[in-house]
Amino acid sequence: MLSISSCSKKNDITTNNNTKDSTNNNNNNNNNNNTPPVYGQTSTFAGSGVLGAVDGVATAARFNRPASLAIDASGNIYVADSGDNLIRKISPAGFVTTIAGSGGTGADNGQGTSASFNYPYGIAVDVNGNVYVADSGNNLIRKITPAGMVSTLAGSGMTGSADGVGTSASFGFPMALTVDLAGNVYVADNYYNIIRKITPAGKVTTLAGTGTYGFVNGKGTAASFDHPQGIVVDAAGNLYVDDTDNYAIRKITPDGTVTTIAGNGVSGYAGGIGTAATFGDPMQIAIDSNGNLFVADAILYLIRKVSPSGEVTVLAGNGLPGSTNGIGTGATFGLPEGIAVDNADNVYVADYNNNNIRKIDAKQ
């Protein structure tokens, strides 16, 4: 869980924080067997569970607080390895490599490992294979080409909420981003409680949010959020936002209209339809080919599913911290923060405290 006090209010749920440094031992990785997939089966896809920055195959690799995931059309997974200040790539076969970042803290642009980041938290990939990073500690949005060249797409590096082009714009601890089919990047600007839009030319505007925290539906800047930390876009251009400190999932239509599709502003773990359901700490969000949303409910150690009709259920996890693989509630997580869905509708989770990447078979 983030320890940066300026980013989010304290959650209303008391948790056992001694799980912060838990590791994942003997997780019975089952990626390479030939058994048929079972709905809700959780396995360890990559990462030994030990802190580190080691490339390698599957569980031989090491991560340090993996915070966010993105998956390209070929099934490659990109990881914002926040504690290592690195961007990692996992091939469909489980080979982990480092594509950008020196491992040191900085804001240098350049080729591959000559570039540097400062707590890269959010990550997304476009249809052309360009990777975008919410470089949270630098208040920047970075771009990595398929050739590995790192540049700054937007942000001055100073904390602020100014709209503008490229480095004339400013952000306040951007924590998540997503990219639509036209190449527009959308950013959950956590500190300022707003959703930003960046065109391919680098023009930054504020799409929704007043700039002060609140829980109001409405159009554009008439709506309000409370420390949004996750965002995803569907094929029709609708955005879905994990409005973390409102314990809610919000929807923004292409015309900027903001509504609440699940959660009611009260922390909890209840399933149900729409605002009858509750969340504890919705961190990041992903969408599958059928329009199902998957939410990493971090502080509850759960992966939640929100159907197109708004029904909220548990896909995996039992509410207790751990590192056990299993089916549905038989699995446990250390602190699930990042989440992504591949073309086959498998769900991948960045298990922040377990320092690994988990896979959940979710195709139905």
Side-chain angles (χ1 to χ4, degrees):
M1 191 64 176
L2 290 176
S3 60
I4 301 174
S5 60
S6 65
C7 298
S8 178
K9 305 190 309 252
K10 286 199 176 285
N11 291 289
D12 296 332
I13 297 176
T14 301
T15 59
N16 183 359
N17 290 325
N18 65 12
T19 62
K20 184 73 175 178
D21 292 315
S22 64
T23 56
N24 181 26
N25 297 315
N26 300 318
N27 264 323
N28 300 318
N29 180 13
N30 61 5
N31 295 314
N32 296 319
N33 62 32
N34 294 315
T35 58
V38 176
Y39 183 77
Q41 173 72 55
T42 299
S43 59
T44 302
F45 188 71
S48 67
V50 178
L51 286 170
V54 179
D55 290 339
V57 181
T59 55
R62 294 185 183 184
F63 300 89
N64 183 356
R65 308 303 187 215
S68 185
L69 306 174
I71 304 177
D72 68 18
S74 299
N76 297 296
I77 302 171
Y78 299 88
V79 183
D81 194 359
S82 64
D84 285 324
N85 293 309
L86 299 175
I87 306 303
R88 317 287 291 278
K89 178 180 177 180
I90 312 174
S91 73
F95 288 88
V96 179
T97 55
T98 299
I99 65 167
S102 64
T105 300
D108 293 329
N109 291 319
Q111 183 70 36
T113 55
S114 67
S116 55
F117 301 88
N118 182 6
Y119 197 72
Y121 192 88
I123 197 164
V125 60
D126 70 17
V127 294
N128 297 312
N130 297 295
V131 174
Y132 300 88
V133 178
D135 193 0
S136 302
N138 283 325
N139 297 306
L140 299 175
I141 307 302
R142 315 288 290 279
K143 178 180 179 179
I144 309 171
T145 68
M149 180 58 68
V150 180
S151 60
T152 298
L153 176 66
S156 65
M158 302 297 291
T159 301
S161 58
D163 291 336
V165 178
T167 56
S168 68
S170 56
F171 299 87
F173 211 82
M175 289 194 70
L177 38 72
T178 189
V179 57
D180 68 17
L181 295 175
N184 297 297
V185 177
Y186 301 88
V187 180
D189 201 349
N190 178 268
Y191 185 81
Y192 288 105
N193 305 296
I194 52 181
I195 306 302
R196 317 289 291 278
K197 177 181 178 180
I198 311 172
T199 68
K203 182 180 179 181
V204 180
T205 55
T206 300
L207 179 67
T210 62
T212 58
Y213 66 83
F215 192 15
V216 178
N217 291 322
K219 190 166 185 178
T221 55
S224 56
F225 302 86
D226 193 349
H227 295 93
Q229 296 188 29
I231 190 167
V232 71
V233 65
D234 68 17
N238 298 296
L239 295 167
Y240 301 89
V241 177
D242 273 352
D243 193 2
T244 302
D245 285 350
N246 279 324
Y247 316 108
I249 310 303
R250 316 288 291 279
K251 178 180 179 179
I252 310 174
T253 62
D255 72 353
T257 300
V258 179
T259 55
T260 301
I261 64 169
N264 56 31
V266 177
S267 64
Y269 54 85
I273 303 292
T275 56
T278 54
F279 296 87
D281 189 27
M283 289 293 290
Q284 295 196 37
I285 190 167
I287 191 167
D288 71 9
S289 62
N290 297 309
N292 296 296
L293 298 169
F294 297 90
V295 178
D297 203 346
I299 214 167
L300 295 182
Y301 312 104
L302 297 175
I303 304 303
R304 315 285 293 276
K305 178 180 177 181
V306 185
S307 73
S309 64
E311 182 180 11
V312 179
T313 55
V314 173
L315 174 65
N318 60 21
L320 298 174
S323 58
T324 304
N325 289 318
I327 298 172
T329 57
T332 55
F333 299 87
L335 196 71
E337 294 207 359
I339 195 164
V341 179
D342 68 14
N343 286 339
D345 288 340
N346 297 299
V347 176
Y348 295 82
V349 177
D351 199 350
Y352 189 88
N353 276 357
N354 282 328
N355 300 299
N356 57 23
I357 310 304
R358 315 286 290 280
K359 177 181 177 181
I360 309 172
D361 291 304
K363 184 176 178 64
Q364 289 185 303

